[in-house]
Amino acid sequence: MQVFFFCAIIALKMKISTRGRYALRFMIYLAQRSNGNFIALKDVSENEGISIKYLEQITGFLSKSGLLLSVRGPAGGYKLSKAPEQYTAGEILRVTEGDLSPVAADETETAGEGNGRANTQKFWEGLQKAIDDYLDSVTLQDLVDQSAGQESYMYMI
């Protein structure tokens, strides 16, 4: 019940951009298919319906942060720098989205403002903790497993 309440609040204020959503899809794709091999962006683009230009932007963020390994050339591409269970959704989203706060920094209340807004500061801190705890509890492997379950369900229909 409490998690549902927090998720409802998050849905009202916080939105993950296409960059963050596509980054998760990209990382899931690599985790499902790489088998230690580098995968070309062209393959990801064709199978996921994401433009190569947009994937190049996303891979720039992910590579600079050390989440991806890349190789140029005809046999080049991208692969995960570590095992899927060592990534969290929070880690990937923070790299591509930046701050995941439900309230903008200029809207947060700080003690001593003298106008009563500090009364909700602990609430916002608690909400931020709930968001961080959830995002950091879901691994890339969890997302791969969830995706595999959906695909097999869809296949059975």
Side-chain angles (χ1 to χ4, degrees):
M1 178 77 163
Q2 189 175 13
V3 171
F4 174 76
F5 175 71
F6 283 135
C7 289
I9 291 173
I10 292 167
L12 293 174
K13 180 70 176 170
M14 185 174 143
K15 289 192 177 191
I16 303 297
S17 72
T18 54
R19 182 172 51 201
R21 294 193 313 267
Y22 287 177
L24 283 174
R25 284 176 46 194
F26 176 70
M27 297 292 280
I28 291 167
Y29 186 92
L30 292 182
Q32 290 173 324
R33 293 169 179 83
S34 73
N35 297 325
N37 299 319
F38 288 90
I39 296 179
L41 284 185
K42 178 181 168 242
D43 296 336
V44 180
S45 177
E46 290 172 359
N47 289 299
E48 290 295 313
I50 305 170
S51 77
I52 290 179
K53 286 258 189 217
Y54 207 18
L55 285 171
E56 288 171 346
Q57 291 176 17
I58 292 167
T59 57
F61 286 103
L62 297 170
S63 294
K64 286 178 187 171
S65 68
L67 300 183
L68 291 180
L69 299 174
S70 64
V71 171
R72 293 183 182 259
Y78 295 87
K79 71 177 181 178
L80 302 177
S81 62
K82 53 189 177 182
E85 60 273 7
Q86 295 178 312
Y87 293 89
T88 67
E91 174 183 31
I92 296 165
L93 289 173
R94 282 183 200 94
V95 165
T96 55
E97 294 289 318
D99 184 24
L100 297 176
S101 295
V103 179
D106 61 344
E107 295 177 28
T108 58
E109 288 91 18
T110 57
E113 287 184 330
N115 59 6
R117 294 189 326 177
N119 295 337
T120 58
Q121 180 180 5
K122 291 217 183 289
F123 172 78
W124 296 123
E125 290 170 355
L127 179 57
Q128 182 63 50
K129 182 176 177 356
I131 293 168
D132 289 338
D133 288 350
Y134 177 70
L135 292 175
D136 292 334
S137 74
V138 178
T139 67
L140 182 58
Q141 187 62 55
D142 294 333
L143 296 173
V144 168
D145 294 344
Q146 181 183 20
S147 176
Q150 288 175 351
E151 287 175 8
S152 65
Y153 176 75
M154 294 299 284
Y155 179 73
M156 294 176 75
I157 293 176

